[in-house]
Amino acid sequence: MNPMRDLLLAASRSAWLRDRAMRAPFVRRAARRFMPGERLDDALDAAAALRPAGMPSILTCLGENVTRPEEAAAVAAHYLEAFDSAAARGLDVEISVKLTQLGLDLGQDLAAGHVATLAERAARHRSRLWIDMEDSSCTDATLAVYHALRPAHPTLGICLQAYLRRTEEDLESLLPLAPAVRIVKGAYREPPEKAFPRKADVDESFFRLGARLLSPGAVAAGAWTVAGTHDPILIGRLQAHAASAGLPRDAFEFDLLYGIRRDLQQNLARDGWRVRILISYGSSWFPWYMRRLAERPANLWFVARGLLSG
Ligand code: FDA
């Protein structure tokens, strides 16, 4: 258990704190460490700047839990524009969406309809659409949408969280679909009945999921593996595992977040591993930023430094 992590994750859901923190210049300055700006153009500029280092991008426009169908439609329209704008600039860009941002709370079919439209656009641009995994109240619906849509949309990927006890079984149920899976540790506040409380267990689960996805049967069947992590030990274990299984370096991909462990990002790309950087942008950054602080409470120091430097 980590009380500071719990506190920050609880704070991420506070509208009162959100409204005050987002207006504070020192918080805005600190958040810029992890996001290039609020506009799509800021994200595309950042993607263009990463290209020379051999690192393509994934874009995600921050926001979650919309409450009106028009909002969900506007988010979907924004992402269609993002696919088109990236292609017009010749950028290798994928997109990652949250189902609650596409109307999941208003109905699974509504969100699924938007995902299908976006997946079609991704295919047109030879790109990929990813579905993020949100808190455990969304896991069943997210998997159901993926199961329903993946057969007709080969470029659709899904994120699975290693901290959930159920994930190993969920992965088995996905494998017959030849899925594209991004494994992450998991960023939400979950009870111990649902998620492993110990970091060592989460790390082990991550490795097991990665090894399963990289097993000969899964690779031959067309599964695509992405390891979404900045954990150098886990990255090293997966690299060693892939080497011992005779897999080439481009058989899977490491995805990291913009602004986190830039040294590691560059070293991986320089050493010939596939690396993609997830760039977040948009005006609804508060809950997302609090989750980044919760991952590493030492980041609070950057907030404090911004306050002290005026
Ligand atoms: P860990 O937390 O052990 O960190 C390893 C090292 O990375 C740390 O020692 C530190 O050096 C560095 N680091 C990690 N986080 C940092 C931070 N915030 N600030 C500074 N340094 C940091 N989660 C989720 O629930 N659903 C999702 O859909 C996604 N999607 C997603 C996509 C991609 C591409 C990534 C990289 C991550 C996600 N996540 C996510 C977030 C994920 O669940 C997890 O919270 C973070 O990746 C942090 O965990 P690490 O694997 O990096 O390990």
Side-chain angles (χ1 to χ4, degrees):
M1 296 306 274
N2 180 337
M4 183 55 93
R5 179 177 187 270
D6 285 351
L7 189 68
L8 288 164
L9 290 179
S12 76
R13 307 184 76 90
S14 160
W16 182 88
L17 193 62
R18 180 195 63 212
D19 293 342
R20 276 148 193 81
M22 286 184 73
R23 283 201 299 268
F26 70 97
V27 179
R28 298 177 72 85
R29 269 200 302 278
R32 284 299 287 265
R33 194 170 158 241
F34 300 129
M35 58 183 281
E38 295 192 357
R39 298 169 313 131
L40 172 61
D41 272 343
D42 296 326
L44 292 172
D45 290 346
L50 288 165
R51 190 167 48 176
M55 296 189 281
S57 309
I58 311 183
L59 301 191
T60 194
C61 181
L62 297 169
E64 37 207 271
N65 298 92
V66 302
T67 51
R68 290 182 296 123
E70 309 83 83
E71 290 176 88
V75 171
H78 172 83
Y79 279 128
L80 290 175
E81 185 198 337
F83 269 127
D84 294 346
S85 303
R89 290 180 61 165
L91 294 167
D92 175 356
V93 160
E94 298 176 350
I95 282 178
S96 203
V97 296
K98 289 195 180 355
L99 290 189
T100 62
Q101 200 187 8
L102 292 171
L104 181 65
D105 298 337
L106 303 168
Q108 193 171 306
D109 290 348
L110 178 75
H114 289 311
V115 172
T117 307
L118 290 171
E120 268 166 33
R121 188 64 60 95
R124 195 193 297 171
H125 291 306
R126 296 179 195 286
S127 177
R128 204 184 280 280
L129 180 74
W130 288 95
I131 308 177
D132 281 0
M133 192 57 85
E134 300 177 66
D135 69 54
S136 60
S137 68
C138 303
T139 313
D140 282 332
T142 306
L143 287 164
V145 168
Y146 191 76
H147 274 276
L149 294 181
R150 169 62 186 80
H153 299 283
T155 61
L156 194 58
I158 186 168
C159 178
L160 293 182
Q161 296 156 325
Y163 66 8
L164 290 187
R165 295 177 188 275
R166 60 177 287 173
T167 297
E168 223 159 324
E169 257 176 56
D170 290 338
L171 176 60
E172 290 306 319
S173 81
L174 289 174
L175 284 176
L177 296 169
V181 177
R182 178 212 300 149
I183 312 163
V184 302
K185 291 193 183 179
Y188 297 83
R189 193 179 183 203
E190 299 290 354
E193 316 83 80
K194 291 189 176 170
F196 302 113
R198 288 177 54 234
K199 177 173 157 49
D201 294 329
V202 179
D203 293 354
E204 204 47 43
S205 163
F206 195 123
F207 178 73
R208 273 200 312 273
L209 294 165
R212 180 71 180 103
L213 271 162
L214 292 171
S215 64
V219 171
W224 174 241
T225 307
V226 169
T229 183
H230 319 88
D231 183 338
I233 295 175
L234 206 39
I235 289 174
R237 285 183 75 190
L238 287 169
Q239 289 170 331
H241 176 83
S244 70
L247 292 167
R249 290 191 176 195
D250 62 358
F252 63 111
E253 186 174 279
F254 293 109
D255 286 8
L256 295 89
L257 301 181
Y258 179 87
I260 297 186
R261 294 296 312 261
R262 287 173 204 247
D263 54 334
L264 181 60
Q265 300 178 2
Q266 279 163 2
N267 290 345
L268 285 168
R270 195 199 50 217
D271 293 346
W273 298 94
R274 285 179 68 134
V275 180
R276 196 175 278 274
I277 305 302
L278 193 150
I279 302 171
S280 300
Y281 64 99
S283 53
S284 305
W285 45 264
F286 179 74
W288 163 87
Y289 181 58
M290 294 304 279
R291 290 197 291 275
R292 300 291 81 78
L293 294 183
E295 282 156 5
R296 194 160 179 263
N299 286 336
L300 282 169
W301 169 240
F302 291 95
V303 184
R305 212 161 59 180
L307 175 63
L308 294 175
S309 68

PDB file of all heavy atoms in Angstrom, residues 51-86:
ATOM      1  N   ARG A  51      10.467  12.394 -34.612  1.00  0.00           N
ATOM      2  CA  ARG A  51      10.701  11.542 -35.786  1.00  0.00           C
ATOM      3  C   ARG A  51      12.182  11.325 -36.109  1.00  0.00           C
ATOM      4  O   ARG A  51      12.591  10.195 -36.385  1.00  0.00           O
ATOM      5  CB  ARG A  51       9.943  12.111 -36.991  1.00  0.00           C
ATOM      6  CG  ARG A  51       9.931  11.170 -38.165  1.00  0.00           C
ATOM      7  CD  ARG A  51       8.963  11.574 -39.213  1.00  0.00           C
ATOM      8  NE  ARG A  51       9.068  12.987 -39.551  1.00  0.00           N
ATOM      9  CZ  ARG A  51       8.364  13.567 -40.500  1.00  0.00           C
ATOM     10  NH1 ARG A  51       7.499  12.862 -41.197  1.00  0.00           N
ATOM     11  NH2 ARG A  51       8.504  14.834 -40.778  1.00  0.00           N
ATOM     12  N   PRO A  52      13.018  12.382 -36.074  1.00  0.00           N
ATOM     13  CA  PRO A  52      14.428  12.162 -36.441  1.00  0.00           C
ATOM     14  C   PRO A  52      15.134  11.143 -35.534  1.00  0.00           C
ATOM     15  O   PRO A  52      16.088  10.502 -35.961  1.00  0.00           O
ATOM     16  CB  PRO A  52      15.062  13.552 -36.265  1.00  0.00           C
ATOM     17  CG  PRO A  52      13.938  14.517 -36.322  1.00  0.00           C
ATOM     18  CD  PRO A  52      12.734  13.796 -35.804  1.00  0.00           C
ATOM     19  N   ALA A  53      14.646  10.990 -34.314  1.00  0.00           N
ATOM     20  CA  ALA A  53      15.266  10.001 -33.412  1.00  0.00           C
ATOM     21  C   ALA A  53      14.710   8.597 -33.662  1.00  0.00           C
ATOM     22  O   ALA A  53      15.016   7.657 -32.914  1.00  0.00           O
ATOM     23  CB  ALA A  53      15.025  10.404 -31.959  1.00  0.00           C
ATOM     24  N   GLY A  54      13.881   8.447 -34.705  1.00  0.00           N
ATOM     25  CA  GLY A  54      13.350   7.128 -35.036  1.00  0.00           C
ATOM     26  C   GLY A  54      12.226   6.700 -34.113  1.00  0.00           C
ATOM     27  O   GLY A  54      12.006   5.500 -33.918  1.00  0.00           O
ATOM     28  N   MET A  55      11.519   7.687 -33.544  1.00  0.00           N
ATOM     29  CA  MET A  55      10.438   7.339 -32.621  1.00  0.00           C
ATOM     30  C   MET A  55       9.104   7.874 -33.140  1.00  0.00           C
ATOM     31  O   MET A  55       8.839   9.079 -33.059  1.00  0.00           O
ATOM     32  CB  MET A  55      10.729   7.912 -31.231  1.00  0.00           C
ATOM     33  CG  MET A  55      11.966   7.297 -30.608  1.00  0.00           C
ATOM     34  SD  MET A  55      12.218   7.745 -28.879  1.00  0.00           S
ATOM     35  CE  MET A  55      12.918   9.375 -29.042  1.00  0.00           C
ATOM     36  N   PRO A  56       8.252   7.008 -33.699  1.00  0.00           N
ATOM     37  CA  PRO A  56       6.902   7.440 -34.070  1.00  0.00           C
ATOM     38  C   PRO A  56       6.050   7.654 -32.810  1.00  0.00           C
ATOM     39  O   PRO A  56       6.529   7.439 -31.693  1.00  0.00           O
ATOM     40  CB  PRO A  56       6.380   6.286 -34.924  1.00  0.00           C
ATOM     41  CG  PRO A  56       7.173   5.103 -34.490  1.00  0.00           C
ATOM     42  CD  PRO A  56       8.500   5.602 -34.008  1.00  0.00           C
ATOM     43  N   SER A  57       4.797   8.073 -32.996  1.00  0.00           N
ATOM     44  CA  SER A  57       4.002   8.512 -31.834  1.00  0.00           C
ATOM     45  C   SER A  57       2.617   7.871 -31.785  1.00  0.00           C
ATOM     46  O   SER A  57       2.130   7.321 -32.763  1.00  0.00           O
ATOM     47  CB  SER A  57       3.789  10.026 -31.900  1.00  0.00           C
ATOM     48  OG  SER A  57       5.009  10.673 -32.092  1.00  0.00           O
ATOM     49  N   ILE A  58       2.019   8.015 -30.633  1.00  0.00           N
ATOM     50  CA  ILE A  58       0.573   7.769 -30.460  1.00  0.00           C
ATOM     51  C   ILE A  58       0.022   9.046 -29.848  1.00  0.00           C
ATOM     52  O   ILE A  58       0.643   9.599 -28.933  1.00  0.00           O
ATOM     53  CB  ILE A  58       0.266   6.661 -29.447  1.00  0.00           C
ATOM     54  CG1 ILE A  58       1.093   5.425 -29.715  1.00  0.00           C
ATOM     55  CG2 ILE A  58      -1.208   6.320 -29.457  1.00  0.00           C
ATOM     56  CD1 ILE A  58       0.740   4.277 -28.766  1.00  0.00           C
ATOM     57  N   LEU A  59      -1.113   9.487 -30.326  1.00  0.00           N
ATOM     58  CA  LEU A  59      -1.716  10.688 -29.752  1.00  0.00           C
ATOM     59  C   LEU A  59      -2.950  10.317 -28.939  1.00  0.00           C
ATOM     60  O   LEU A  59      -3.706   9.419 -29.313  1.00  0.00           O
ATOM     61  CB  LEU A  59      -2.158  11.666 -30.844  1.00  0.00           C
ATOM     62  CG  LEU A  59      -1.094  12.196 -31.814  1.00  0.00           C
ATOM     63  CD1 LEU A  59      -1.684  13.346 -32.620  1.00  0.00           C
ATOM     64  CD2 LEU A  59       0.159  12.634 -31.101  1.00  0.00           C
ATOM     65  N   THR A  60      -3.142  11.047 -27.866  1.00  0.00           N
ATOM     66  CA  THR A  60      -4.385  10.897 -27.124  1.00  0.00           C
ATOM     67  C   THR A  60      -4.808  12.264 -26.598  1.00  0.00           C
ATOM     68  O   THR A  60      -4.003  12.999 -26.036  1.00  0.00           O
ATOM     69  CB  THR A  60      -4.236   9.848 -25.987  1.00  0.00           C
ATOM     70  OG1 THR A  60      -5.522   9.502 -25.504  1.00  0.00           O
ATOM     71  CG2 THR A  60      -3.407  10.323 -24.830  1.00  0.00           C
ATOM     72  N   CYS A  61      -6.071  12.605 -26.869  1.00  0.00           N
ATOM     73  CA  CYS A  61      -6.595  13.897 -26.435  1.00  0.00           C
ATOM     74  C   CYS A  61      -7.242  13.684 -25.069  1.00  0.00           C
ATOM     75  O   CYS A  61      -8.177  12.892 -24.940  1.00  0.00           O
ATOM     76  CB  CYS A  61      -7.618  14.414 -27.452  1.00  0.00           C
ATOM     77  SG  CYS A  61      -8.276  16.009 -26.993  1.00  0.00           S
ATOM     78  N   LEU A  62      -6.738  14.366 -24.060  1.00  0.00           N
ATOM     79  CA  LEU A  62      -7.151  14.072 -22.685  1.00  0.00           C
ATOM     80  C   LEU A  62      -8.608  14.400 -22.439  1.00  0.00           C
ATOM     81  O   LEU A  62      -9.124  15.414 -22.911  1.00  0.00           O
ATOM     82  CB  LEU A  62      -6.254  14.833 -21.723  1.00  0.00           C
ATOM     83  CG  LEU A  62      -4.799  14.387 -21.818  1.00  0.00           C
ATOM     84  CD1 LEU A  62      -3.896  15.337 -21.060  1.00  0.00           C
ATOM     85  CD2 LEU A  62      -4.636  12.971 -21.307  1.00  0.00           C
ATOM     86  N   GLY A  63      -9.242  13.526 -21.679  1.00  0.00           N
ATOM     87  CA  GLY A  63     -10.660  13.708 -21.364  1.00  0.00           C
ATOM     88  C   GLY A  63     -11.235  12.352 -21.057  1.00  0.00           C
ATOM     89  O   GLY A  63     -10.725  11.343 -21.529  1.00  0.00           O
ATOM     90  N   GLU A  64     -12.259  12.320 -20.215  1.00  0.00           N
ATOM     91  CA  GLU A  64     -12.908  11.049 -19.893  1.00  0.00           C
ATOM     92  C   GLU A  64     -14.328  11.339 -19.429  1.00  0.00           C
ATOM     93  O   GLU A  64     -14.677  12.492 -19.153  1.00  0.00           O
ATOM     94  CB  GLU A  64     -12.109  10.262 -18.840  1.00  0.00           C
ATOM     95  CG  GLU A  64     -11.449  11.099 -17.771  1.00  0.00           C
ATOM     96  CD  GLU A  64     -10.182  10.458 -17.169  1.00  0.00           C
ATOM     97  OE1 GLU A  64     -10.353   9.731 -16.200  1.00  0.00           O
ATOM     98  OE2 GLU A  64      -9.070  10.705 -17.658  1.00  0.00           O
ATOM     99  N   ASN A  65     -15.156  10.300 -19.408  1.00  0.00           N
ATOM    100  CA  ASN A  65     -16.516  10.380 -18.872  1.00  0.00           C
ATOM    101  C   ASN A  65     -17.339  11.547 -19.392  1.00  0.00           C
ATOM    102  O   ASN A  65     -17.732  12.433 -18.623  1.00  0.00           O
ATOM    103  CB  ASN A  65     -16.470  10.422 -17.332  1.00  0.00           C
ATOM    104  CG  ASN A  65     -15.845   9.157 -16.769  1.00  0.00           C
ATOM    105  OD1 ASN A  65     -14.646   9.128 -16.555  1.00  0.00           O
ATOM    106  ND2 ASN A  65     -16.630   8.136 -16.566  1.00  0.00           N
ATOM    107  N   VAL A  66     -17.625  11.579 -20.700  1.00  0.00           N
ATOM    108  CA  VAL A  66     -18.519  12.610 -21.224  1.00  0.00           C
ATOM    109  C   VAL A  66     -19.951  12.244 -20.823  1.00  0.00           C
ATOM    110  O   VAL A  66     -20.275  11.082 -20.571  1.00  0.00           O
ATOM    111  CB  VAL A  66     -18.409  12.763 -22.763  1.00  0.00           C
ATOM    112  CG1 VAL A  66     -16.990  13.105 -23.164  1.00  0.00           C
ATOM    113  CG2 VAL A  66     -18.924  11.538 -23.476  1.00  0.00           C
ATOM    114  N   THR A  67     -20.822  13.249 -20.753  1.00  0.00           N
ATOM    115  CA  THR A  67     -22.178  13.001 -20.246  1.00  0.00           C
ATOM    116  C   THR A  67     -23.259  13.258 -21.297  1.00  0.00           C
ATOM    117  O   THR A  67     -24.438  13.050 -21.028  1.00  0.00           O
ATOM    118  CB  THR A  67     -22.466  13.902 -19.021  1.00  0.00           C
ATOM    119  OG1 THR A  67     -22.141  15.249 -19.372  1.00  0.00           O
ATOM    120  CG2 THR A  67     -21.630  13.493 -17.815  1.00  0.00           C
ATOM    121  N   ARG A  68     -22.872  13.743 -22.500  1.00  0.00           N
ATOM    122  CA  ARG A  68     -23.865  13.993 -23.542  1.00  0.00           C
ATOM    123  C   ARG A  68     -23.394  13.386 -24.862  1.00  0.00           C
ATOM    124  O   ARG A  68     -22.197  13.444 -25.166  1.00  0.00           O
ATOM    125  CB  ARG A  68     -24.069  15.503 -23.720  1.00  0.00           C
ATOM    126  CG  ARG A  68     -24.798  16.142 -22.520  1.00  0.00           C
ATOM    127  CD  ARG A  68     -25.046  17.623 -22.727  1.00  0.00           C
ATOM    128  NE  ARG A  68     -23.807  18.354 -22.821  1.00  0.00           N
ATOM    129  CZ  ARG A  68     -23.447  19.122 -23.845  1.00  0.00           C
ATOM    130  NH1 ARG A  68     -24.230  19.261 -24.879  1.00  0.00           N
ATOM    131  NH2 ARG A  68     -22.282  19.747 -23.852  1.00  0.00           N
ATOM    132  N   PRO A  69     -24.315  12.836 -25.676  1.00  0.00           N
ATOM    133  CA  PRO A  69     -23.903  12.215 -26.943  1.00  0.00           C
ATOM    134  C   PRO A  69     -23.166  13.196 -27.859  1.00  0.00           C
ATOM    135  O   PRO A  69     -22.247  12.798 -28.588  1.00  0.00           O
ATOM    136  CB  PRO A  69     -25.233  11.782 -27.589  1.00  0.00           C
ATOM    137  CG  PRO A  69     -26.244  11.804 -26.514  1.00  0.00           C
ATOM    138  CD  PRO A  69     -25.768  12.710 -25.426  1.00  0.00           C
ATOM    139  N   GLU A  70     -23.553  14.490 -27.817  1.00  0.00           N
ATOM    140  CA  GLU A  70     -22.884  15.461 -28.697  1.00  0.00           C
ATOM    141  C   GLU A  70     -21.403  15.586 -28.343  1.00  0.00           C
ATOM    142  O   GLU A  70     -20.568  15.811 -29.220  1.00  0.00           O
ATOM    143  CB  GLU A  70     -23.505  16.866 -28.582  1.00  0.00           C
ATOM    144  CG  GLU A  70     -25.000  16.941 -28.729  1.00  0.00           C
ATOM    145  CD  GLU A  70     -25.727  16.621 -27.433  1.00  0.00           C
ATOM    146  OE1 GLU A  70     -25.868  17.513 -26.587  1.00  0.00           O
ATOM    147  OE2 GLU A  70     -26.152  15.461 -27.268  1.00  0.00           O
ATOM    148  N   GLU A  71     -21.107  15.463 -27.027  1.00  0.00           N
ATOM    149  CA  GLU A  71     -19.695  15.563 -26.628  1.00  0.00           C
ATOM    150  C   GLU A  71     -18.908  14.383 -27.195  1.00  0.00           C
ATOM    151  O   GLU A  71     -17.790  14.541 -27.692  1.00  0.00           O
ATOM    152  CB  GLU A  71     -19.575  15.529 -25.102  1.00  0.00           C
ATOM    153  CG  GLU A  71     -20.075  16.748 -24.377  1.00  0.00           C
ATOM    154  CD  GLU A  71     -19.968  16.518 -22.869  1.00  0.00           C
ATOM    155  OE1 GLU A  71     -18.922  16.813 -22.301  1.00  0.00           O
ATOM    156  OE2 GLU A  71     -20.942  16.010 -22.276  1.00  0.00           O
ATOM    157  N   ALA A  72     -19.503  13.185 -27.110  1.00  0.00           N
ATOM    158  CA  ALA A  72     -18.823  11.992 -27.630  1.00  0.00           C
ATOM    159  C   ALA A  72     -18.603  12.141 -29.145  1.00  0.00           C
ATOM    160  O   ALA A  72     -17.534  11.808 -29.661  1.00  0.00           O
ATOM    161  CB  ALA A  72     -19.646  10.742 -27.327  1.00  0.00           C
ATOM    162  N   ALA A  73     -19.616  12.656 -29.833  1.00  0.00           N
ATOM    163  CA  ALA A  73     -19.495  12.832 -31.292  1.00  0.00           C
ATOM    164  C   ALA A  73     -18.396  13.842 -31.613  1.00  0.00           C
ATOM    165  O   ALA A  73     -17.644  13.674 -32.581  1.00  0.00           O
ATOM    166  CB  ALA A  73     -20.842  13.294 -31.866  1.00  0.00           C
ATOM    167  N   ALA A  74     -18.287  14.876 -30.778  1.00  0.00           N
ATOM    168  CA  ALA A  74     -17.245  15.888 -31.023  1.00  0.00           C
ATOM    169  C   ALA A  74     -15.852  15.287 -30.809  1.00  0.00           C
ATOM    170  O   ALA A  74     -14.918  15.592 -31.566  1.00  0.00           O
ATOM    171  CB  ALA A  74     -17.456  17.090 -30.098  1.00  0.00           C
ATOM    172  N   VAL A  75     -15.734  14.424 -29.805  1.00  0.00           N
ATOM    173  CA  VAL A  75     -14.434  13.774 -29.568  1.00  0.00           C
ATOM    174  C   VAL A  75     -14.073  12.895 -30.770  1.00  0.00           C
ATOM    175  O   VAL A  75     -12.945  12.922 -31.269  1.00  0.00           O
ATOM    176  CB  VAL A  75     -14.477  12.930 -28.270  1.00  0.00           C
ATOM    177  CG1 VAL A  75     -13.229  12.081 -28.131  1.00  0.00           C
ATOM    178  CG2 VAL A  75     -14.639  13.831 -27.044  1.00  0.00           C
ATOM    179  N   ALA A  76     -15.057  12.127 -31.256  1.00  0.00           N
ATOM    180  CA  ALA A  76     -14.794  11.254 -32.407  1.00  0.00           C
ATOM    181  C   ALA A  76     -14.391  12.094 -33.625  1.00  0.00           C
ATOM    182  O   ALA A  76     -13.435  11.754 -34.332  1.00  0.00           O
ATOM    183  CB  ALA A  76     -16.024  10.406 -32.710  1.00  0.00           C
ATOM    184  N   ALA A  77     -15.098  13.198 -33.840  1.00  0.00           N
ATOM    185  CA  ALA A  77     -14.772  14.066 -34.989  1.00  0.00           C
ATOM    186  C   ALA A  77     -13.359  14.628 -34.834  1.00  0.00           C
ATOM    187  O   ALA A  77     -12.597  14.724 -35.813  1.00  0.00           O
ATOM    188  CB  ALA A  77     -15.794  15.203 -35.090  1.00  0.00           C
ATOM    189  N   HIS A  78     -13.000  14.963 -33.614  1.00  0.00           N
ATOM    190  CA  HIS A  78     -11.653  15.482 -33.377  1.00  0.00           C
ATOM    191  C   HIS A  78     -10.601  14.433 -33.760  1.00  0.00           C
ATOM    192  O   HIS A  78      -9.589  14.742 -34.397  1.00  0.00           O
ATOM    193  CB  HIS A  78     -11.490  15.896 -31.919  1.00  0.00           C
ATOM    194  CG  HIS A  78     -10.078  16.258 -31.583  1.00  0.00           C
ATOM    195  ND1 HIS A  78      -9.566  17.513 -31.838  1.00  0.00           N
ATOM    196  CD2 HIS A  78      -9.048  15.528 -31.082  1.00  0.00           C
ATOM    197  CE1 HIS A  78      -8.284  17.536 -31.497  1.00  0.00           C
ATOM    198  NE2 HIS A  78      -7.952  16.348 -31.026  1.00  0.00           N
ATOM    199  N   TYR A  79     -10.846  13.189 -33.368  1.00  0.00           N
ATOM    200  CA  TYR A  79      -9.858  12.142 -33.669  1.00  0.00           C
ATOM    201  C   TYR A  79      -9.777  11.846 -35.170  1.00  0.00           C
ATOM    202  O   TYR A  79      -8.715  11.516 -35.688  1.00  0.00           O
ATOM    203  CB  TYR A  79     -10.164  10.872 -32.880  1.00  0.00           C
ATOM    204  CG  TYR A  79      -9.661  10.919 -31.454  1.00  0.00           C
ATOM    205  CD1 TYR A  79     -10.493  10.634 -30.388  1.00  0.00           C
ATOM    206  CD2 TYR A  79      -8.335  11.241 -31.169  1.00  0.00           C
ATOM    207  CE1 TYR A  79     -10.028  10.660 -29.073  1.00  0.00           C
ATOM    208  CE2 TYR A  79      -7.862  11.281 -29.859  1.00  0.00           C
ATOM    209  CZ  TYR A  79      -8.707  10.992 -28.824  1.00  0.00           C
ATOM    210  OH  TYR A  79      -8.230  11.028 -27.538  1.00  0.00           O
ATOM    211  N   LEU A  80     -10.920  11.971 -35.879  1.00  0.00           N
ATOM    212  CA  LEU A  80     -10.852  11.793 -37.336  1.00  0.00           C
ATOM    213  C   LEU A  80      -9.934  12.861 -37.919  1.00  0.00           C
ATOM    214  O   LEU A  80      -9.086  12.586 -38.778  1.00  0.00           O
ATOM    215  CB  LEU A  80     -12.253  11.908 -37.950  1.00  0.00           C
ATOM    216  CG  LEU A  80     -13.219  10.754 -37.641  1.00  0.00           C
ATOM    217  CD1 LEU A  80     -14.608  11.053 -38.209  1.00  0.00           C
ATOM    218  CD2 LEU A  80     -12.693   9.429 -38.206  1.00  0.00           C
ATOM    219  N   GLU A  81     -10.106  14.087 -37.430  1.00  0.00           N
ATOM    220  CA  GLU A  81      -9.248  15.184 -37.895  1.00  0.00           C
ATOM    221  C   GLU A  81      -7.783  14.904 -37.539  1.00  0.00           C
ATOM    222  O   GLU A  81      -6.873  15.185 -38.331  1.00  0.00           O
ATOM    223  CB  GLU A  81      -9.709  16.494 -37.235  1.00  0.00           C
ATOM    224  CG  GLU A  81      -8.964  17.711 -37.732  1.00  0.00           C
ATOM    225  CD  GLU A  81      -9.107  18.902 -36.771  1.00  0.00           C
ATOM    226  OE1 GLU A  81     -10.087  18.947 -35.996  1.00  0.00           O
ATOM    227  OE2 GLU A  81      -8.207  19.769 -36.796  1.00  0.00           O
ATOM    228  N   ALA A  82      -7.558  14.337 -36.352  1.00  0.00           N
ATOM    229  CA  ALA A  82      -6.180  14.055 -35.930  1.00  0.00           C
ATOM    230  C   ALA A  82      -5.526  13.042 -36.873  1.00  0.00           C
ATOM    231  O   ALA A  82      -4.374  13.217 -37.290  1.00  0.00           O
ATOM    232  CB  ALA A  82      -6.169  13.539 -34.497  1.00  0.00           C
ATOM    233  N   PHE A  83      -6.272  11.964 -37.235  1.00  0.00           N
ATOM    234  CA  PHE A  83      -5.721  10.983 -38.186  1.00  0.00           C
ATOM    235  C   PHE A  83      -5.367  11.676 -39.502  1.00  0.00           C
ATOM    236  O   PHE A  83      -4.287  11.471 -40.067  1.00  0.00           O
ATOM    237  CB  PHE A  83      -6.746   9.874 -38.469  1.00  0.00           C
ATOM    238  CG  PHE A  83      -6.644   8.677 -37.553  1.00  0.00           C
ATOM    239  CD1 PHE A  83      -7.764   8.214 -36.871  1.00  0.00           C
ATOM    240  CD2 PHE A  83      -5.448   7.996 -37.389  1.00  0.00           C
ATOM    241  CE1 PHE A  83      -7.683   7.103 -36.034  1.00  0.00           C
ATOM    242  CE2 PHE A  83      -5.357   6.882 -36.557  1.00  0.00           C
ATOM    243  CZ  PHE A  83      -6.475   6.439 -35.881  1.00  0.00           C
ATOM    244  N   ASP A  84      -6.292  12.493 -40.005  1.00  0.00           N
ATOM    245  CA  ASP A  84      -6.089  13.134 -41.307  1.00  0.00           C
ATOM    246  C   ASP A  84      -4.931  14.130 -41.255  1.00  0.00           C
ATOM    247  O   ASP A  84      -4.109  14.196 -42.168  1.00  0.00           O
ATOM    248  CB  ASP A  84      -7.368  13.852 -41.763  1.00  0.00           C
ATOM    249  CG  ASP A  84      -8.501  12.868 -42.042  1.00  0.00           C
ATOM    250  OD1 ASP A  84      -8.228  11.655 -42.138  1.00  0.00           O
ATOM    251  OD2 ASP A  84      -9.670  13.310 -42.154  1.00  0.00           O
ATOM    252  N   SER A  85      -4.870  14.919 -40.170  1.00  0.00           N
ATOM    253  CA  SER A  85      -3.810  15.932 -40.073  1.00  0.00           C
ATOM    254  C   SER A  85      -2.436  15.276 -39.958  1.00  0.00           C
ATOM    255  O   SER A  85      -1.464  15.747 -40.550  1.00  0.00           O
ATOM    256  CB  SER A  85      -4.014  16.834 -38.851  1.00  0.00           C
ATOM    257  OG  SER A  85      -5.271  17.435 -38.903  1.00  0.00           O
ATOM    258  N   ALA A  86      -2.354  14.196 -39.191  1.00  0.00           N
ATOM    259  CA  ALA A  86      -1.065  13.500 -39.060  1.00  0.00           C
ATOM    260  C   ALA A  86      -0.631  12.968 -40.419  1.00  0.00           C
ATOM    261  O   ALA A  86       0.538  13.103 -40.809  1.00  0.00           O
ATOM    262  CB  ALA A  86      -1.184  12.365 -38.052  1.00  0.00           C
TER     263      ALA A  86
END
